[in-house]
Amino acid sequence: IIVAFLAACVVSMLFGAFNGILVAQFKIQPMVATLILYTAGRNIAAWINQNQLPIVSDDTFGYFGGMIPGIPIPTPVFIAIACI
């Protein structure tokens, strides 16, 4: 897990540096550079997954984005309060 975390951090730093080079050296607007990186990352992720959406088949994950029965407040509100 630690190696995967460190690899993800290194890759994120490289992408951030690439984004910074686009802004600093090539004078591209930061929003445009961010959209370029977003589009490229989304396409690379789709390529890795063979254009398949990741499906989580565990029913307990449905509670995190839905409603708790009997309570009219969505579950993400409680998660946000817990994080704050």
Side-chain angles (χ1 to χ4, degrees), residues 10-64:
V10 169
V11 170
S12 298
M13 286 187 267
L14 290 173
F15 285 154
F18 175 72
N19 213 10
I21 289 170
L22 288 177
V23 172
Q25 298 295 323
F26 295 104
K27 307 295 186 215
I28 295 175
Q29 291 292 320
M31 184 65 189
V32 174
T34 302
L35 288 174
I36 290 169
L37 194 60
Y38 166 72
T39 303
R42 187 175 58 174
N43 288 327
I44 290 169
W47 174 63
I48 290 171
N49 290 329
Q50 288 94 28
N51 282 333
Q52 298 291 321
L53 292 176
I55 303 295
V56 178
S57 59
D58 190 1
D59 291 334
T60 57
F61 283 101
Y63 292 114
F64 295 125

